[in-house]
DNA sequence: TTCTTTATTGTAATCATTACACTTTATTAT
DNA sequence: ATAATAAAGTGTAATGATTACAATAAAGAA
């Protein structure tokens, strides 16, 4: 349902990019809009199959690829074994916790960063990926250590 | 052969990290040292099989994982379908050309960049990945356009 | 309505990576 | 040195995300 106030904007954007606004694709966009957890294709499929029983996993993949091409969503390649998707297309950083797997967003200003080595290159996308251990996991580890004593 | 003057340093580093300096691992490190093209596991395997006929692809994967853990090499996840490896472990950016697939290095100074959102997080790795079209491909495209006229 | 294009679906294939069990090699203690 | 122990190498089989493909359905244009 409610894809927020940006709903009409989205439709307009899709039309402009000649991407058909199929039922499935709207639902996928909707899902990404409501779940800002950078879900995988499989998570999106699992999240929608109840509402769209006919949904095929292939459709999810196809749709995601189309939406990426239309620049409506962003594809994140953090781990090698799965892609994640993000409805926010502005450049921002992603931190992946190596313990719990959660992905956190953070701000990065890279628009004005154009390295000398890439002069005369056409830069289409700028990605920043940090890895480590998130605050939550660090705290949990700390507690576990205390309990062991 | 000659892994450059850093050879002894490498051995020392391996010993310190309790990583055994097996024949295969030295060869893999050697390969990465001589091929600064960010090769995949498969490319490393193909590049070494002539010299080490007994080499197993599993060994390549296992070795690479060990060397990554020991922080002797860096794992790059640019595309979702394959990992690449880099003997340079200092933080630097990688540009992947979406046309020819080549990967270019560029300098990024991120040591002092610690986003507010990640305060109290333990950051182990900082990756910067750009995508687009490299100078070479842009020039080739330009030439092709001219020939078509 | 009919034609043409684009999207959906399900199944089968692909392909990088890992699991596993076994053999070989290296290290440590005797 | 030699035996005992631990780590690494090897080959095959499994895993799992993604794509290829062919058929069907839906949407847009004429």
């Amino acid at each position: 349902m409610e894809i927020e106030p940006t709903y009409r904007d989205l439709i307009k954007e899709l039309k402009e990019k000649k991407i058909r606004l199929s039922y499935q694709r709207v639902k996928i966009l909707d899902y990404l809009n409501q779940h800002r957890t950078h879900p995988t294709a499989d998570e999106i499929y699992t999240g929608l199959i109840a509402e769209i029983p006919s949904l095929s996993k292939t459709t999810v993949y196809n749709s995601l690829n189309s939406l990426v091409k239309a620049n409506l969503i962003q594809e994140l390649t953090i781990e090698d074994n799965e892609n994640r998707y993000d409805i926010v297309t502005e450049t921002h950083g992603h931190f992946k916790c190596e313990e719990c797997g959660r992905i956190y967003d953070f701000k990065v200003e890279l628009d004005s960063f154009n390295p000398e080595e890439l002069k005369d290159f056409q830069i289409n996308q700028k990605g920043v990926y940090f890895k480590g251990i998130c605050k939550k996991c660090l705290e949990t580890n700390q507690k576990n250590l205390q309990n062991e004593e």
Side-chain angles (χ1 to χ4, degrees), chain A:
Chain A
M1 312 300 107
E2 320 78 44
I3 315 195
E4 304 210 335
T6 56
Y7 185 65
R8 281 169 208 295
D9 294 348
L10 275 179
I11 295 177
K12 200 175 145 205
E13 222 176 325
L14 284 165
K15 280 241 172 94
E16 277 168 4
K17 307 229 177 184
K18 287 173 189 165
I19 291 284
R20 279 195 193 163
L21 194 63
S22 73
Y23 178 69
Q24 288 85 342
R25 290 182 181 177
V26 174
K27 285 296 176 188
I28 289 172
L29 275 174
D30 188 9
Y31 185 91
L32 283 172
N33 197 53
Q34 290 183 40
H35 300 82
R36 303 294 182 114
T37 54
H38 319 87
T40 63
D42 193 70
E43 284 167 355
I44 296 168
Y45 172 78
T46 306
L48 291 176
I49 190 65
E51 200 180 349
I52 317 171
S54 74
L55 187 64
S56 165
K57 208 175 258 187
T58 301
T59 299
V60 176
Y61 280 108
N62 287 341
S63 300
L64 288 171
N65 287 336
S66 298
L67 297 171
V68 167
K69 262 186 206 141
N71 208 34
L72 289 184
I73 63 174
Q74 203 182 358
E75 190 176 63
L76 309 181
T77 307
I78 302 178
E79 298 295 324
D80 61 307
N81 64 326
E82 58 182 18
N83 275 344
R84 295 179 168 275
Y85 296 89
D86 191 341
I87 203 167
V88 181
T89 54
E90 305 96 62
T91 300
H92 62 272
H94 292 97
F95 176 94
K96 164 127 186 184
C97 176
E98 292 169 320
E99 211 157 298
C100 67
R102 249 184 297 251
I103 290 164
Y104 298 83
D105 291 324
F106 60 87
K107 272 193 227 103
V108 189
E109 179 45 58
L110 278 181
D111 295 339
S112 58
F113 174 61
N114 292 300
E116 178 63 22
E117 293 96 324
L118 304 184
K119 194 166 50 84
D120 303 322
F121 282 43
Q122 178 188 319
I123 301 173
N124 294 334
Q125 202 188 118
K126 296 178 176 181
V128 180
Y129 298 100
F130 285 11
K131 286 184 190 175
I133 304 177
C134 74
K135 191 180 176 182
K136 244 177 226 174
C137 285
L138 285 173
E139 284 168 354
T140 308
N141 294 350
Q142 196 58 36
K143 275 184 198 158
N144 290 344
L145 270 176
Q146 287 169 1
N147 289 341
E148 277 170 21
E149 281 163 15

